[in-house]
Amino acid sequence: MAMFPDCPQHDVKVKLMFSEFDVRKTQTIDIEGLIVVFKRLAISFSTATINDLFERGDANGDGVINISEFRRFCEFYPTLLDCLYYRAKDYWTNEAQKEGIDEMRRLLDELRGAEGICERELTNSKINVEEAERRLLAQAQSLVESQRKETDAKAQIDMAHETTERGRAELRDKVADLNRNKDIERQRQLELSERQKTLENSIRRLQQQEGEVTKAQERLRDIERMLAEQQREVERQINGAERCRADAEEEERKEAEAHAITAEALRSVHQAADDVAMAEEQLAQVAEQERQAAVALRDAAEETSRQLGRKDADQRALLAAQQMAGARVTELAAAAEATGEHERLLQQQMQENQDFADKRKQVDDEEAPLVEQEVRLREQRENLERKESRLRNDFTAFAGRTTHQRGESPRPSPRGPSPVPSALAAVSPKAAEPLPVISSPRSVPAYTVEAARSSSYAYYSEVAKPTSIPRSHHYA
């Protein structure tokens, strides 16, 4: 689209409108180009009028109008040139506005699409936030359960530790009892050894006494004569042996008692050893339970740590989802604001375009009679020129005949008042009347037409002094 300045020179108007009519870009104007542009610019000429205008513009009759012919045509029709120029300018301005409106509609559709995308993303973000909150709630419940298990494991460990301590205390007590029983056993063994030594001494003494009794008996048999003295000695020795035997029996009884005490001590030691073994077994079981509780506590602590990690991750995910949802809300608000602003601008542009079209139509309605009147005036001028040419020829012929009859040589008519108006008055009284002065409803003179009173030269120079339509007449 060519650039149409607001206040161009006449030659600029001619060149721009020639380029506008040159629809085939051949540097010429054909009848089709004239019809297309007149239709595009809403010039409601009939086909006959357009053909007549084309014939007037095609001076050499080659079927096209070149730039020089179009420049001459525009000199004949300056009002039509102004009308065509400003209509073309307004037409392309309107086309640019329509393109702008279409572009704004496209942008508005894109903004609405972006707004829809933002709404869907916001919905997805809200769903993600709700899902993250549900996961976080589930993780919180799992964390509470893990903490409860960890607390139970700690309580079990504490109980197992207390049981272990009690078992160790009991084991220590049983070991102490075992040591005491062993000490008692050792004492009893010592006492038994002493008893056995005493018994052995008593047996040896008994054996010695029996040997002495035997010897005494032998001596008694040998020495019967010493019977009385030996009898007493024998009785004394027997009494000693009896006492020794009684002592030996007492020692045997005490030994038996010591053996019984030793056996009892051994049983106590074995019982204490069994108790120690059982305590050690129970302590091992408690230690195993404590170990299992420690393992469970470690597993619970690890699970708690994992749950805390997952909870932190879910919290970060929730925070990210909330931030994303906030960003989506901001984007949606911005998109809605941009959409509203573009809708407002689109409505404003459409209203301006409608106002432009209304004003253009008003100007077209006001320009139409001026353009038609110019065409009619031009046609009248050409008709008058043809009539004047015929009358001039007739007058020249008449003057030649008159001079010939009088014997005078013919001479050209001098400059000055032309006999044409008188001749026209003779033909028709209205033909000699001055042409009307055209004025628009807005006091815009299109032509100042004066009557051809003097000569044909004066008529052609004064009859049509065009005055271009001011720019204020058109809608910018």
Side-chain angles (χ1 to χ4, degrees):
M1 181 189 76
M3 295 298 295
F4 289 81
D6 290 335
C7 298
Q9 298 294 327
H10 177 76
D11 192 56
V12 174
K13 294 180 185 178
V14 172
K15 291 180 179 179
L16 288 175
M17 289 312 301
F18 182 80
S19 176
E20 192 74 16
F21 280 110
D22 184 13
V23 294
R24 301 181 186 275
K25 304 304 177 185
T26 59
Q27 301 301 317
T28 57
I29 302 174
D30 55 12
I31 186 64
E32 288 81 6
L34 207 66
I35 294 173
V36 168
V37 175
F38 278 167
K39 182 178 181 181
R40 179 194 301 165
L41 301 182
I43 301 296
S44 58
F45 285 161
S46 65
T47 304
T49 302
I50 295 175
N51 291 329
D52 186 54
L53 290 174
F54 183 79
E55 291 176 358
R56 292 174 188 176
D58 184 14
N60 57 8
D62 59 353
V64 292
I65 300 175
N66 55 32
I67 184 64
S68 60
E69 292 173 340
F70 186 72
R71 186 176 286 108
R72 174 177 169 275
F73 177 83
C74 291
E75 290 175 355
F76 289 160
Y77 298 98
T79 303
L80 179 60
L81 174 64
D82 286 345
C83 174
L84 290 172
Y85 176 81
Y86 288 110
R87 286 198 184 194
K89 181 179 184 300
D90 292 343
Y91 171 80
W92 290 116
T93 301
N94 188 28
E95 289 297 315
Q97 289 179 350
K98 289 180 179 179
E99 290 179 359
I101 290 173
D102 293 338
E103 180 66 18
M104 292 184 69
R105 284 175 176 169
R106 186 184 64 79
L107 291 176
L108 183 60
D109 293 337
E110 291 180 358
L111 287 173
R112 286 173 177 169
E115 185 178 0
I117 292 173
C118 288
E119 288 179 352
R120 290 192 294 273
E121 290 181 351
L122 177 60
T123 303
N124 294 331
S125 298
K126 289 181 178 180
I127 293 173
N128 292 332
V129 168
E130 293 175 356
E131 182 65 24
E133 288 177 349
R134 285 195 296 271
R135 287 200 303 268
L136 184 60
L137 180 60
Q139 289 296 334
Q141 293 176 353
S142 300
L143 180 61
V144 170
E145 183 67 21
S146 298
Q147 289 176 346
R148 185 186 63 78
K149 290 180 180 180
E150 184 178 1
T151 303
D152 294 341
K154 286 181 179 179
Q156 291 178 0
I157 286 178
D158 293 337
M159 292 175 61
H161 185 68
E162 292 176 358
T163 305
T164 302
E165 292 297 328
R166 286 196 300 271
R168 287 176 180 173
E170 292 176 358
L171 181 60
R172 285 194 297 270
D173 293 339
K174 291 182 181 297
V175 169
D177 293 339
L178 178 60
N179 292 329
R180 285 194 300 271
N181 290 327
K182 286 181 178 180
D183 292 337
I184 294 172
E185 183 184 4
R186 282 193 297 271
Q187 291 176 1
R188 292 291 185 265
Q189 290 288 344
L190 291 175
E191 291 178 357
L192 181 59
S193 299
E194 292 294 332
R195 299 279 182 183
Q196 286 177 351
K197 290 178 181 179
T198 306
L199 179 59
E200 289 175 355
N201 292 330
S202 298
I203 292 172
R204 283 193 299 271
R205 288 195 303 269
L206 178 60
Q207 289 175 354
Q208 290 176 1
Q209 290 294 329
E210 287 179 350
E212 290 180 356
V213 169
T214 303
K215 290 178 182 181
Q217 287 177 353
E218 289 178 356
R219 283 194 306 270
L220 180 60
R221 282 190 302 266
D222 292 339
I223 309 170
E224 288 180 355
R225 59 180 174 276
M226 300 175 68
L227 181 60
E229 293 86 356
Q230 290 298 326
Q231 187 68 37
R232 288 191 297 271
E233 182 65 24
V234 169
E235 290 177 359
R236 186 179 60 81
Q237 291 295 332
I238 290 172
N239 291 331
E242 290 295 334
R243 286 194 299 273
C244 288
R245 186 176 289 110
D247 293 336
E249 290 175 356
E250 183 66 23
E251 290 298 330
E252 287 178 355
R253 184 183 62 77
K254 289 181 178 180
E255 183 180 5
E257 291 177 356
H259 279 292
I261 292 172
T262 301
E264 184 65 26
L266 286 173
R267 285 194 300 272
S268 298
V269 169
H270 290 305
Q271 183 65 33
D274 293 338
D275 293 339
V276 169
M278 187 178 297
E280 288 177 348
E281 184 178 356
Q282 292 177 354
L283 182 62
Q285 293 177 355
V286 171
E288 179 64 21
Q289 293 176 358
E290 185 176 2
R291 187 188 65 78
Q292 292 177 357
V295 171
L297 176 61
R298 186 180 66 251
D299 295 340
E302 291 176 355
E303 182 65 22
T304 302
S305 178
R306 287 193 295 271
Q307 293 292 338
L308 285 173
R310 286 194 289 268
K311 181 181 179 182
D312 293 338
D314 290 339
Q315 285 179 343
R316 289 192 296 270
L318 176 61
L319 180 60
Q322 289 175 346
Q323 291 176 351
M324 185 175 292
R328 292 293 178 268
V329 170
T330 304
E331 291 176 0
L332 180 60
E337 183 178 359
T339 302
E341 180 65 18
H342 274 75
E343 287 179 349
R344 186 186 65 79
L345 292 175
L346 178 60
Q347 293 297 328
Q348 180 180 356
Q349 189 70 22
M350 292 175 65
Q351 184 62 39
E352 290 178 356
N353 184 258
Q354 184 63 37
D355 295 340
F356 181 88
D358 294 340
K359 290 182 180 180
R360 180 67 260 176
K361 185 177 184 304
Q362 181 181 358
V363 171
D364 291 347
D365 294 340
E366 293 174 356
E367 284 178 345
L370 296 177
V371 174
E372 292 175 357
Q373 197 166 20
E374 183 183 48
V375 173
R376 287 197 303 273
L377 283 174
R378 185 64 195 176
E379 184 178 0
Q380 291 176 5
R381 276 179 55 179
E382 292 179 353
N383 292 332
L384 286 174
E385 288 173 359
R386 287 193 296 271
K387 289 180 181 180
E388 182 180 12
S389 179
R390 287 196 304 270
L391 289 174
R392 186 178 293 278
N393 293 332
D394 293 342
F395 175 75
T396 302
F398 175 75
R401 286 195 303 271
T402 304
T403 303
H404 179 70
Q405 291 174 359
R406 293 177 180 180
E408 298 176 356
S409 59
R411 56 184 178 179
S413 61
R415 295 282 182 182
S418 175
V420 175
S422 301
L424 290 176
V427 176
S428 174
K430 292 185 178 180
E433 293 180 359
L435 295 176
V437 178
I438 302 171
S439 60
S440 67
R442 293 157 294 177
S443 300
V444 182
Y447 284 94
T448 304
V449 183
E450 298 178 358
R453 301 289 186 184
S454 302
S455 64
S456 62
Y457 176 79
Y459 173 76
Y460 288 123
S461 60
E462 298 295 336
V463 70
K465 290 184 179 179
T467 302
S468 299
I469 297 176
R471 183 67 188 90
S472 60
H473 179 64
H474 299 275
Y475 172 63

